Amino acid sequence: MLTIGQLADYVGVTVRAVRHYHQRGLLPEPDRDASGYRRYDADAVVRLIRIKTLAGAGVPLARIEDLLDAGPEEFSCAIVQIDKALTSRIRELQEQRRRIAGLTAGDRLFLPAEIADFLDQLRAIGISERTVQVERDGWILLAARYPQEAGRAAGFKLSALDDPEFRRIYTAFDEAYDWDPADPRLEELADAMLALIGRHPRDPAQAAAEDQADPVTLSLMTTQPGSMPPAWERLDELCRERGQAVGFG
Amino acid sequence: MLTIGQLADYVGVTVRAVRHYHQRGLLPEPDRDASGYRRYDADAVVRLIRIKTLAGAGVPLARIEDLLDAGPEEFSCAIVQIDKALTSRIRELQEQRRRIAGLTAGDRLFLPAEIADFLDQLRAIGISERTVQVERDGWILLAARYPQEAGRAAGFKLSALDDPEFRRIYTAFDEAYDWDPADPRLEELADAMLALIGRHPRDPAQAAAEDQADPVTLSLMTTQPGSMPPAWERLDELCRERGQAVGFG
DNA sequence: TTGCTCCTCACGTCACGTGAGGTGGC
DNA sequence: TTGCTCCTCACGTCACGTGAGGTGGC
């Protein structure tokens, strides 16, 4: 006959856990010896090992109680289910491993692949990190609200990068970050941007998403008023003034 | 700017979890809109995804708080540790799978291999399940208190099963379960058991463990007085009477 | 107007952990 | 006698869940 400590040590649980199982009714209270100590027999060892094994597999104690008093066919049926749950939990953890590895690896964790590709392409053609971050924040918010549309729109933008004119304009837009809002080049840039939009034949269904994906519109979504550079705010203004004709804004 | 529900849905956590992270100081409280609703920006999305990813990997919230505000070298060092923890957790779960599979498979879960082998051998030579269960319970308690000794003693017993005389005596012992305590065959059996012990040369160091491993002694350990069959109690008495000479009891 | 989302307390849950204060066994 | 184990409350912990009661947005 074992004491509670001997039992707990052999099975590999804490004394407190054994008492907890008594309280929950999972393990019957054994007889006491002359000192009031609990004394356990072999059945208690067997039952406690079953409890520990199931609990270790993540089975709630309430479920364990049912299982231990169930028939063998119900029991082995449950074991199959528990095994499935364990297997899928293992898969989850393997997925978690991939994800935490990605925590140091940049944007791909937060964004659909097309968007991350688009941001990487911007970096590749020499766009400043400062501007890429504004794009990124905009896309994150857009993807949060319209996941599918954001993915499609990013694919569209990605292919637009093949157009040398788009690249030239985007580079200018990037450089305009530091310009004076009165800089006359802003007017040329606004004209060029609108011309570009006019040149690309646009599927009307995509037009809305695409407009939202414009860096200027995006940056308006993402930042507080006043936190944008003055030149970009002016550029947005110019586009709105002239863009009515082509449905911009 | 996102509401708390949009944020939670996109990242894949509950609204309550987001509020909990605010309370814990993990995620800064954002500004409110005119209705008092929280409004989130892209930084909140990024930070919440980091929190969720780490929490999903089992990192305590207190640790996550430190990590998010730590430098990149400390962060990536921690990621390595978390990955190790995940890997070992995966191994644990794979071990759990093996164990719950064993829950339907019998005694090997509760006992060292030698003891399970010994019990299987008893079944193989035709010992009744009833007697095997008494043996099993005795071994479980013995293994709980003296794991090494129990393993060695069981190995000893296992090899003793090669002796035809041991098998004959054990079979008779099994049958004696139902005998009348006054049955004269009990005296013969007691003599034969003592003769067998005398015949086997015994390493004195093993003698104590071996005596404890005797079925009769074991069953005394494991059961309450009176729960053993009367014939076995009588047999135990007879062995004690005669066994003093060979150091039995 | 109805249904959905949002807000703030605040208590509940799950599986124990952790003293608090006292007694028995070697 | 000292140190270890045992006993019974009973509150604490961790990461939220779950109403309770009320207001804002479409």
Side-chain angles (χ1 to χ4, degrees):
Chain A
M1 306 293 282
L2 307 172
T3 68
I4 196 170
Q6 290 167 338
L7 173 70
D9 284 350
Y10 179 58
V11 175
V13 300
T14 65
V15 167
R16 174 64 174 125
V18 176
R19 294 206 186 100
H20 186 64
Y21 299 148
H22 286 318
Q23 233 182 321
R24 293 288 312 252
L26 271 176
L27 193 65
E29 281 278 3
D31 292 338
R32 308 294 179 109
D33 66 12
S35 315
Y37 289 13
R38 296 176 179 85
R39 290 291 173 167
Y40 296 90
D41 60 13
D43 284 344
V45 174
V46 171
R47 195 170 173 98
L48 183 56
I49 287 180
R50 290 210 170 99
I51 293 170
K52 183 216 173 187
T53 305
L54 291 168
V59 181
L61 296 189
R63 184 88 194 289
I64 293 177
E65 190 170 4
D66 297 341
L67 286 182
L68 290 182
D69 301 329
E73 72 292 340
E74 188 186 341
F75 184 79
S76 59
C77 172
I79 291 295
V80 171
Q81 290 206 318
I82 292 165
D83 186 72
K84 275 188 194 165
L86 275 177
T87 305
S88 82
R89 178 68 184 144
I90 287 172
R91 258 198 256 289
E92 262 176 52
L93 288 182
Q94 281 162 345
E95 175 66 17
Q96 299 284 6
R97 280 194 68 196
R98 275 196 345 89
R99 287 201 178 162
I100 61 158
L103 275 183
T104 45
D107 298 328
R108 311 228 158 234
L109 186 63
F110 319 114
L111 288 169
E114 299 97 328
I115 302 178
D117 288 343
F118 176 65
L119 297 177
D120 284 345
Q121 280 297 310
L122 290 182
R123 292 188 181 95
I125 65 172
I127 301 301
S128 70
E129 193 57 31
R130 184 178 61 183
T131 297
V132 173
Q133 288 300 313
V134 175
E135 277 279 359
R136 185 192 80 138
D137 287 1
W139 285 105
I140 287 173
L141 292 179
L142 190 66
R145 289 215 248 185
Y146 315 100
Q148 276 105 21
E149 291 84 341
R152 266 191 289 136
F156 199 81
K157 284 265 171 182
L158 191 56
S159 64
L161 272 177
D162 293 336
D163 181 349
E165 177 66 2
F166 181 89
R167 292 203 298 273
R168 195 190 66 75
I169 290 175
Y170 203 105
T171 303
F173 172 78
D174 179 30
E175 287 162 359
Y177 192 99
D178 299 310
W179 292 353
D180 189 282
D183 194 308
R185 286 176 294 176
L186 284 176
E187 310 217 359
E188 290 169 38
L189 183 52
D191 288 336
M193 286 172 75
L194 292 171
L196 186 70
I197 290 174
R199 237 180 59 188
H200 277 270
R202 304 202 308 167
D203 170 9
Q206 286 198 337
E210 200 185 334
D211 277 352
Q212 296 212 49
D214 181 273
V216 178
T217 313
L218 278 174
S219 53
L220 284 178
M221 284 173 57
T222 173
T223 59
Q224 318 295 343
S227 72
M228 288 248 296
W232 280 12
E233 294 202 350
R234 174 68 185 142
L235 190 60
D236 179 49
E237 218 177 282
L238 290 169
C239 284
R240 281 174 193 281
E241 280 170 14
R242 302 166 191 210
Q244 303 294 342
V246 292
F248 191 93
Chain B
M1 306 294 278
L2 308 171
T3 68
I4 196 169
Q6 289 168 339
L7 173 70
D9 284 351
Y10 180 59
V11 175
V13 300
T14 65
V15 167
R16 174 63 174 122
V18 176
R19 295 207 186 100
H20 185 62
Y21 299 148
H22 286 317
Q23 233 181 321
R24 292 288 311 252
L26 271 175
L27 192 65
E29 281 277 1
D31 292 338
R32 308 293 179 112
D33 67 12
S35 314
Y37 290 13
R38 295 176 178 86
R39 291 289 174 169
Y40 296 90
D41 61 12
D43 284 344
V45 175
V46 171
R47 195 171 172 98
L48 182 57
I49 287 180
R50 290 211 169 99
I51 294 170
K52 184 216 172 189
T53 306
L54 291 169
V59 181
L61 296 189
R63 183 89 194 287
I64 293 177
E65 190 170 4
D66 298 340
L67 286 182
L68 289 181
D69 301 328
E73 72 293 341
E74 188 186 342
F75 185 79
S76 59
C77 172
I79 292 293
V80 171
Q81 290 205 319
I82 293 165
D83 187 72
K84 274 187 195 168
L86 275 178
T87 306
S88 81
R89 178 67 185 145
I90 287 172
R91 259 197 255 289
E92 262 177 50
L93 287 182
Q94 281 162 344
E95 174 67 16
Q96 299 283 5
R97 280 195 69 196
R98 275 195 345 88
R99 287 201 178 163
I100 60 158
L103 275 183
T104 46
D107 298 328
R108 308 223 161 239
L109 186 63
F110 318 115
L111 287 169
E114 299 97 327
I115 301 178
D117 288 343
F118 176 64
L119 297 177
D120 285 344
Q121 280 296 310
L122 290 183
R123 292 187 183 95
I125 63 171
I127 301 302
S128 70
E129 193 57 33
R130 183 178 63 184
T131 296
V132 173
Q133 288 299 314
V134 175
E135 276 279 0
R136 185 191 78 139
D137 288 0
W139 284 105
I140 287 173
L141 292 179
L142 190 65
R145 288 215 249 184
Y146 315 100
Q148 276 105 19
E149 291 84 341
R152 267 191 287 136
F156 200 80
K157 284 265 171 182
L158 191 57
S159 63
L161 272 177
D162 293 336
D163 180 351
E165 177 65 3
F166 181 89
R167 292 203 298 274
R168 195 189 65 76
I169 290 175
Y170 203 105
T171 303
F173 172 77
D174 179 30
E175 287 162 0
Y177 193 100
D178 298 310
W179 292 354
D180 188 282
D183 194 310
R185 286 175 295 177
L186 285 176
E187 309 216 358
E188 288 169 40
L189 183 54
D191 288 337
M193 288 171 74
L194 292 172
L196 184 71
I197 290 174
R199 236 179 64 189
H200 277 269
R202 303 202 308 171
D203 172 8
Q206 286 197 336
E210 199 184 334
D211 276 352
Q212 295 209 50
D214 182 276
V216 179
T217 313
L218 279 174
S219 53
L220 283 177
M221 283 175 56
T222 170
T223 61
Q224 319 295 344
S227 71
M228 289 247 295
W232 280 11
E233 295 203 349
R234 174 66 185 146
L235 190 61
D236 178 50
E237 217 178 284
L238 289 170
C239 284
R240 282 174 193 279
E241 279 170 15
R242 301 167 191 208
Q244 304 294 345
V246 292
F248 191 94

